[in-house]
Amino acid sequence: MTFQFCLWDKFKELASLSSSSFSNLVQMVTHLLRKNSLSLSILKAIEFGELDKPKVKFLKQILSKLLQQTEPEDLVQVFGRISGIPKLEMLREGLKLFIRHFILRSAQTQGPAEQTTLLTERAEMATKAMEARDAKLKL
């Protein structure tokens, strides 16, 4: 719990972090997410409706690394951990919109075709994983 509050405080201070501290924070959060030591629910402290440039950069780096460097089965597990929890509905919607708007759109305009295809496939996987338990609950 204390670690969570510490990370939330860091998220608020992203604009004032040095570039090495910023990069280290991205690496640490990404690693902990990939190893299932941390849930994506840690990002619920970020208000997706009021993103500033440092938060956009932070989320872009974390989500890009997750989508590109995580095995498909692990990716489904990482994003699936926040599915089906009513309190995290806004986080899921924010992540889906962010991935669609910032990750995929910039990949289509800047990245090579193979990278764009990979990101698109993985983004679809992540979105389905976030919606998985919601669909089961509705049946």
Side-chain angles (χ1 to χ4, degrees), residues 13-128:
E13 302 169 359
L14 288 174
S16 63
L17 293 178
S18 68
S19 60
S20 62
S21 294
F22 188 92
S23 178
N24 288 340
L25 183 62
V26 168
Q27 294 291 339
M28 181 187 69
V29 171
T30 304
H31 175 76
L32 292 173
L33 288 170
R34 289 178 69 205
K35 297 298 179 186
N36 286 320
S37 299
L38 198 60
S39 170
L40 279 171
S41 65
I42 195 74
L43 300 177
K44 71 182 178 183
I46 295 176
E47 185 61 48
F48 283 88
E50 301 172 4
L51 292 175
D52 56 5
K53 284 186 179 185
K55 286 183 181 136
V56 169
K57 180 180 174 185
F58 179 74
L59 287 170
K60 260 178 131 172
Q61 288 183 15
I62 286 178
L63 293 172
S64 293
K65 286 179 187 301
L66 278 176
L67 293 173
Q68 292 174 343
Q69 300 171 3
T70 307
E71 293 299 320
E73 304 82 29
D74 297 333
L75 190 67
V76 168
Q77 190 172 15
V78 167
F79 282 89
R81 288 179 71 183
I82 62 169
S83 70
I85 302 169
K87 289 183 178 181
L88 299 178
E89 179 65 28
M90 292 302 293
L91 172 63
R92 287 191 298 274
E93 293 306 315
L95 285 171
K96 288 181 217 173
L97 183 64
F98 189 89
I99 289 170
R100 216 175 16 256
H101 183 73
F102 288 102
I103 306 290
L104 294 179
R105 192 173 286 172
S106 67
Q108 290 171 348
T109 59
Q110 298 171 356
E114 312 87 48
Q115 183 181 7
T116 303
T117 304
L118 176 71
L119 273 174
T120 304
E121 289 172 1
R122 299 280 177 91
E124 191 174 316
M125 250 185 255
T127 301
K128 285 181 181 176

Side-chain angles (χ1 to χ4, degrees), residues 5-17:
F5 288 125
C6 178
L7 283 176
W8 286 351
D9 289 342
K10 286 291 184 192
F11 295 165
K12 292 176 188 172
E13 302 169 359
L14 288 174
S16 63
L17 293 178

